[in-house]
Amino acid sequence: MSSSDKSTRREFLVTTSSAALGAAVPLAGGQQVSSVSNTPPAPPSEEDHYSSEELFKSGPQRTFTGDTATQIAMPLGGIGAGCICLNGYGGLQDFSVWNHPATTALPEGYASSQAGFAILHVKGASPVTKLVEGPFPILKIYDQGLQGQGYRRGGFEGLPRFEKCVFRGEYPFGEAQISDSSIPLLVSLSAWNPFIPLDDKNSGIPCAILEYTLRNASQRNVEYEFSYHLSHLAPGCGGEESKSRNRVIPGRGVFLHNVEEPTAEGYGSACLIAIGSQPRIKGMWLRSPGWEFDSLSALWREVSAGAFTTNEGSNEIDTGGRNGGSILFEETLTPGASRTHVVLITWHFPNCYLQVGGVVPANVPEAQGTGCRSGAGAAPPWRPYYASMWNDAREVALYVEEQYASLRARTVAFQEALFSSTLPPYVLDAVSSNLAILKSPTVLRLENGDLWGWEGCFPDAGCCHGSCTHVWNYAQACPHLYPRAERTLRELELGRSMDENGHVTFRSALPEGPVKHDFHAASDGQLGGIMKVYRDWQISGDMGWLKKMYPLAKRSLDYCIRTWDPDHRGGLFEPHHNTYDIEFWGPDGMCTSIYLGALSAFAEMARAVGQPDEAKFYEELAQRSAHFMDEQLFNGEYYQQKVQYQGLRNTSFATLVAQVDDHSSEMQKLLKREGPKYQYGEGCISDGVIGDWMARFYGIDTPLTRESVRSNLRAIFQHNFKTDLSQHANAQRPGYAMGHEPGLVLCSWPRGGKPTLPFVYSDEVWTGIEYQVASHLIAEGFTKEGLTIVKALRSRYDGRVRNPWNEYECGNYYARAMASYALLGALSGFRYSAVQRNLWFGPRLNVLPFKTFFSTASGFGTITLDSRSLRIQVIEGELRLEKIVLTDRTQTRTLNWEITVRSGAPAIKNI
């Protein structure tokens, strides 16, 4: 986050209104139930956490229906390729396919939004026709005035609907069971996108796959027509969609494209096709210039009468008005029979004009807008990765059609492996749901394969650019599931965002290139980057990559030492910028713990590349750092901050307050009394030992006192976790957790001494930090406490108040929330070093057999432990082992096991 984003943040708080509305408005005819209501039963005490049964019992994933489906929007798309969201009543929304976010959380205008929808027409003596979606959520109809035009959106929302929908998600699959008493067919929708660990190409396909299974629940034959309709996703920039063109793909569906210049931003295409059957095809909707309603009025008239007409697409006469294409299936089902219709939507927009964060000429503004930019024939600034694989959406569609069986089988194999883990359902919910961030508009991918990310997303633009190092520090999913892509982020920050002095600009440029070095380096982000180089080396086992990165990492670390610890005392003394968008003055446990981790990691990397003398220097400084933390920052319960502004090389604050007198402002007098703004001093900050969290999960040995770390974690849970926030004062951004909801606040001051102006965000609740603390607690043996935080967190994302597939912070689909992936390693004890070919395993749950999903750079699969053996099942790839380090509640054993486990050949080790 940065101060330059303040105005857009305010806009974000205004536009994301439906969550607040969902918390305040009861369903008609029913009792209001809301976890943020102001009139609940008597609030529980801080000691009333969940019972052991609630925390540890297994079970299926939760379902959503009625008002609990209101906020659901599950991204379907490709990594860095954009997405379309599946909502909780079985429809599509939020077509973010143009290399930027595009959600419905905006005031409606005078133009229709995109639309993709299914219609079922049951023939017979009493025909019935309905939109294949459940009831429209009443909380969306008006949405505090955002829909004051009468919900002028896709145009299909007011069609007759099915009576009931029950939604369930096991990402990357979303399932909707749709039914109606007037219709003899039960509809089951399974929507997904390819998600295959280690296969970043097939996990990056710009597509959404919808599988509609219709089952005859009656005692008679049922004749029906099932149709799917898609508005033109590539209309171009002409008025009345005049530049849009449609072409039938015989036997399959419709190719939607335009006649924009090939290098223009608006140039692109989309496809709607059927897989596995030959539908009837309407290549183009009725084009009626003027009102956008006409196309769907005519379409409904046809399908509701069983009079669907076909055409070949565009012609020279009908060139204005809303555009789209449709496909239709005809079938007769006998009693008990079923049929699945597979609908595929693809998109392809190869020209990207978004530019942010780079060094550009003074007269060229950074371009964050979207629309109809063109380079007057010149190549666009950058292109998405998928544009290097396929030339248009038709090629994408034909590829998916050809590979459909394989893509589905491989995605199902991953999903089943993940959800077969013997973990509480809310843990699997937390881990899997945040994988959706990789498929959201938060993540972009350039033509060369490099990743680039926002922190999160506003409704119509990215929020806080540049793969921000201090936010992406927390994200643990991509390095394990797509390690090759993750390593491009290390190369970006150290290869293109660092100057010759070692200063890393924590926000990288888009497109890739030079960045300005005119702002603070982020201490936590830059030092965390050193630890991530170590992590990614251990995951990949690539010594060549480490040797390439080593001199860059050394330059970065040396800058950190010179800038923040110039006297080599082991702490960050000079003012240091961090993820709270402010500078800490004087050493603190949070950032110094990351410093310690970076020093320890670098010493190990120095030895690995044959630099023992360099290793000695960093190792000794790490010892000094640990001693300093234990002796100077640990207060007997937790590590705190020693606020300091005297005796530093940076004299700016000392000079400022020396000039304060009776005539100075109230703010200046406050600064003289209390010191710099935005410190935490004696506070207990939830990020207090985050560096140790990183070290533990990355396999970095640090000399920090273990019991002090454990004491700090106990203090964080005791002081910062609240079962009820209704008495917690938060003048910052309360919407992340408020009222009678539970949550882990960022900081508390149990010993007093809270500054008048503590660090900004200090009273907020961030899911990424909740996961960081929870997984660290579990790894240190405080399993019940860690699970309590996770269960409480996911209870807030209940579908009515918040979207379970969108944990937001400064924007939607916030990258920090991918810290949830660390729960897998915490609860299983799984870690693998490709460098040593060692595997660590030590479940924290008292259940046998214990099973967990794992993913390494060479393969993924499951590990099962019972009382007699350890079983490794590789689903794809291989896993090379020399030793396993097995921990149970009483002992740790190292067992020799030289083996290469391959797909299709499980390996079993007797223990």
Side-chain angles (χ1 to χ4, degrees):
M1 306 178 206
S2 70
S3 58
S4 63
D5 297 309
K6 288 181 179 176
S7 61
T8 49
R9 286 176 185 169
R10 285 194 293 270
E11 292 165 9
F12 173 71
L13 295 175
V14 171
T15 56
T16 53
S17 62
S18 56
L21 181 62
V25 180
L27 285 179
Q31 181 181 0
Q32 180 172 341
V33 179
S34 172
S35 52
V36 294
S37 166
N38 288 322
T39 57
S45 71
E46 292 301 320
E47 301 304 319
D48 288 336
H49 307 318
Y50 304 104
S51 68
S52 293
E53 181 183 2
E54 289 175 302
L55 287 176
F56 294 104
K57 69 179 179 181
S58 60
Q61 290 299 304
R62 56 186 171 168
T63 59
F64 306 85
T65 190
D67 66 327
T68 64
T70 300
Q71 305 293 350
I72 289 173
M74 175 188 283
L76 306 173
I79 296 175
C83 67
I84 302 170
C85 286
L86 174 69
N87 60 39
Y89 38 99
L92 297 185
Q93 66 180 63
D94 302 349
F95 287 71
S96 300
V97 299
W98 304 282
N99 304 302
H100 68 87
T103 74
T104 53
L106 288 169
E108 60 192 350
Y110 288 99
S112 58
S113 57
Q114 299 297 340
F117 57 97
I119 294 176
L120 177 66
H121 174 69
V122 177
K123 297 182 177 181
S126 301
V128 60
T129 307
K130 293 204 173 185
L131 177 73
V132 187
E133 295 184 13
F136 191 79
I138 63 170
L139 301 175
K140 286 187 173 182
I141 294 173
Y142 179 62
D143 200 4
Q144 297 190 131
L146 291 179
Q147 313 307 327
Q149 282 279 321
Y151 213 89
R152 195 170 183 176
R153 294 295 186 183
F156 62 92
E157 293 86 355
L159 300 179
R161 295 168 167 267
F162 277 63
E163 292 174 343
K164 185 179 180 181
C165 178
V166 178
F167 185 94
R168 177 179 173 181
E170 292 186 355
Y171 203 77
F173 287 87
E175 297 180 355
Q177 305 296 327
I178 308 171
S179 59
D180 191 290
S181 59
S182 68
I183 293 182
L185 302 180
L186 300 178
V187 181
S188 174
L189 166 63
S190 179
W192 59 284
N193 50 262
F195 195 115
I196 305 160
L198 311 183
D199 188 346
D200 47 45
K201 173 189 173 182
N202 284 314
S203 299
I205 301 174
C207 75
I209 301 170
L210 310 173
E211 300 170 345
Y212 290 90
T213 299
L214 280 62
R215 182 173 68 85
N216 185 355
S218 74
Q219 300 302 312
R220 59 179 177 83
N221 290 350
V222 176
E223 185 180 0
Y224 70 85
E225 293 180 345
F226 176 85
S227 56
Y228 201 89
H229 314 272
L230 182 68
S231 63
H232 204 300
L233 301 185
C237 296
E240 296 283 2
E241 302 187 13
S242 61
K243 292 189 176 182
S244 65
R245 298 292 185 270
N246 308 30
R247 187 166 73 244
V248 164
I249 304 174
R252 293 183 173 91
V254 188
F255 177 50
L256 308 170
H257 59 108
N258 62 51
V259 293
E260 293 285 349
E261 290 296 323
T263 59
E265 185 177 28
Y267 178 79
S269 57
C271 254
L272 169 66
I273 72 166
I275 294 179
S277 59
Q278 294 191 1
R280 296 173 61 195
I281 304 168
K282 182 187 292 292
M284 184 177 70
W285 291 351
L286 174 69
R287 305 292 299 275
S288 174
W291 292 101
E292 75 272 16
F293 313 134
D294 296 349
S295 296
L296 296 196
S297 295
L299 189 63
W300 175 258
R301 181 182 177 88
E302 286 188 14
V303 295
S304 63
F308 182 83
T309 60
T310 64
N311 62 55
E312 293 301 311
S314 298
N315 58 55
E316 296 181 358
I317 300 172
D318 302 300
T319 58
R322 194 177 187 194
N323 200 354
S326 304
I327 55 178
L328 181 140
F329 310 87
E330 296 179 275
E331 191 76 37
T332 299
L333 289 178
T334 58
S338 64
R339 177 66 189 270
T340 298
H341 302 288
V342 181
V343 175
L344 171 66
I345 299 172
T346 64
W347 57 90
H348 188 283
F349 296 91
N351 303 321
C352 303
Y353 282 79
L354 170 67
Q355 299 179 73
V356 60
V359 176
V360 296
N363 62 339
V364 178
E366 289 187 342
Q368 265 224 68
T370 56
C372 300
R373 291 165 291 194
S374 175
W382 61 280
R383 287 158 48 92
Y385 175 70
Y386 66 71
S388 69
M389 301 288 114
W390 302 281
N391 291 315
D392 57 33
R394 181 179 181 276
E395 286 191 7
V396 177
L398 296 180
Y399 175 82
V400 175
E401 179 188 41
E402 179 184 13
Q403 301 294 323
Y404 172 72
S406 172
L407 293 172
R408 194 183 200 285
R410 295 172 70 198
T411 301
V412 167
F414 158 67
Q415 185 252 10
E416 289 182 344
L418 176 60
F419 284 90
S420 72
S421 302
T422 49
L423 302 177
Y426 60 88
V427 172
L428 291 172
D429 181 34
V431 172
S432 63
S433 295
N434 284 305
L435 298 182
I437 297 168
L438 292 172
K439 301 300 188 85
S440 77
T442 294
V443 179
L444 299 173
R445 196 174 185 200
L446 283 71
E447 191 169 17
N448 62 4
D450 288 358
L451 289 182
W452 189 95
W454 302 99
E455 290 183 24
C457 299
F458 291 133
D460 60 352
C463 167
C464 310
H465 72 272
S467 313
C468 178
T469 60
H470 59 67
V471 169
W472 282 79
N473 250 356
Y474 296 74
Q476 303 299 335
C478 194
H480 294 279
L481 296 171
Y482 302 100
R484 180 174 57 184
E486 173 72 23
R487 289 197 298 276
T488 68
L489 293 176
R490 304 292 82 71
E491 295 161 9
L492 180 61
E493 70 185 75
L494 294 178
R496 290 178 284 282
S497 297
M498 181 172 66
D499 67 14
E500 64 278 5
N501 297 315
H503 174 281
V504 174
T505 295
F506 57 85
R507 298 190 186 281
S508 60
L510 183 70
E512 295 177 330
V515 294
K516 299 175 183 178
H517 293 273
D518 56 358
F519 191 67
H520 307 285
S523 60
D524 49 352
Q526 188 155 343
L527 289 164
I530 304 299
M531 299 180 75
K532 288 184 287 189
V533 170
Y534 180 93
R535 177 198 65 193
D536 296 348
W537 165 52
Q538 289 291 313
I539 290 173
S540 69
D542 190 337
M543 182 59 69
W545 183 78
L546 178 64
K547 289 180 178 179
K548 180 180 74 172
M549 299 304 293
Y550 179 82
L552 299 175
K554 184 178 187 302
R555 190 198 312 170
S556 173
L557 182 55
D558 288 347
Y559 171 90
C560 296
I561 297 170
R562 288 195 316 271
T563 303
W564 299 309
D565 185 23
D567 298 321
H568 299 181
R569 289 184 282 173
L572 302 191
F573 287 82
E574 297 293 324
H576 43 287
H577 193 73
N578 56 73
T579 199
Y580 301 111
D581 297 336
I582 46 81
E583 291 71 56
F584 287 149
W585 287 72
D588 69 286
M590 171 189 161
C591 296
T592 301
S593 72
I594 306 176
Y595 181 38
L596 170 58
L599 292 168
S600 302
F602 195 82
E604 186 65 29
M605 290 188 287
R607 278 189 287 270
V609 300
Q611 297 293 337
D613 293 339
E614 292 182 356
K616 182 180 179 182
F617 167 77
Y618 297 104
E619 191 169 51
E620 289 177 350
L621 188 50
Q623 291 284 350
R624 226 170 297 151
S625 178
H627 181 77
F628 175 80
M629 286 189 66
D630 288 334
E631 295 297 319
Q632 299 296 319
L633 299 183
F634 190 69
N635 64 15
E637 186 183 12
Y638 54 84
Y639 296 98
Q640 62 178 55
Q641 179 194 14
K642 293 186 71 173
V643 179
Q644 179 180 345
Y645 60 88
Q646 299 285 1
L648 302 179
R649 283 163 172 75
N650 188 322
T651 61
S652 60
F653 189 82
T655 301
L656 172 69
V657 296
Q659 299 170 0
V660 174
D661 57 23
D662 291 342
H663 302 289
S664 299
S665 69
E666 183 179 355
M667 174 59 71
Q668 290 172 322
K669 292 176 183 177
L670 175 64
L671 295 177
K672 188 175 182 68
R673 288 194 307 273
E674 297 190 10
K677 290 192 294 184
Y678 309 142
Q679 310 304 297
Y680 71 92
E682 297 180 65
C684 179
I685 191 170
S686 290
D687 266 339
V689 283
I690 182 177
D692 190 80
W693 173 68
M694 296 175 183
R696 175 178 257 282
F697 284 90
Y698 302 170
I700 301 166
D701 292 326
T702 74
L704 198 61
T705 301
R706 200 84 251 127
E707 187 48 47
S708 296
V709 172
R710 289 169 57 82
S711 175
N712 201 138
L713 288 168
R714 285 193 296 265
I716 291 170
F717 183 78
Q718 177 185 350
H719 301 306
N720 295 5
F721 179 71
K722 312 293 182 185
T723 59
D724 185 312
L725 288 161
S726 61
Q727 300 306 308
H728 172 68
N730 180 1
Q732 296 153 9
R733 297 174 299 181
Y736 306 135
M738 66 185 298
H740 292 281
E741 293 181 314
L744 185 82
V745 298
L746 298 189
C747 195
S748 66
W749 282 262
R751 300 180 174 215
K754 182 176 183 178
T756 302
L757 300 176
F759 70 90
V760 292
Y761 319 130
S762 60
D763 292 314
E764 297 179 0
V765 174
W766 295 356
T767 66
I769 291 177
E770 289 180 293
Y771 288 129
Q772 179 264 121
V773 173
S775 55
H776 202 178
L777 280 164
I778 293 167
E780 286 291 349
F782 303 114
T783 306
K784 187 172 183 179
E785 291 83 350
L787 291 179
T788 295
I789 293 173
V790 179
K791 188 170 179 63
L793 183 168
R794 289 305 290 173
S795 75
R796 302 195 305 265
Y797 286 80
D798 63 355
R800 183 171 195 259
V801 179
R802 298 178 186 84
N803 178 4
W805 286 272
N806 176 6
E807 290 187 6
Y808 60 101
E809 192 185 302
C810 183
N812 296 301
Y813 307 107
Y814 201 75
R816 199 190 314 265
M818 286 188 283
S820 67
Y821 192 86
L823 293 169
L824 283 179
L827 285 162
S828 67
F830 175 85
R831 181 168 61 84
Y832 174 73
S833 168
V835 176
Q836 301 170 285
R837 296 181 181 174
N838 287 358
L839 185 153
W840 287 260
F841 201 69
R844 288 293 182 181
L845 298 179
N846 188 23
V847 56
L848 289 177
F850 176 88
K851 185 177 183 181
T852 189
F853 168 82
F854 75 89
S855 182
T856 71
S858 60
F860 70 92
T862 60
I863 300 180
T864 305
L865 176 69
D866 60 29
S867 59
R868 296 183 178 183
S869 64
L870 182 76
R871 185 177 190 270
I872 299 177
Q873 172 84 53
V874 173
I875 294 172
E876 289 195 17
E878 64 180 26
L879 185 66
R880 297 183 179 182
L881 292 174
E882 293 187 6
K883 295 179 181 179
I884 58 173
V885 181
L886 188 61
T887 300
D888 58 28
R889 293 182 180 274
T890 60
Q891 62 178 337
T892 296
R893 293 175 289 162
T894 299
L895 307 175
N896 292 322
W897 195 16
E898 296 186 15
I899 190 172
T900 298
V901 188
R902 294 187 171 89
S903 175
I908 300 175
K909 176 72 172 177
N910 292 324
I911 59 173

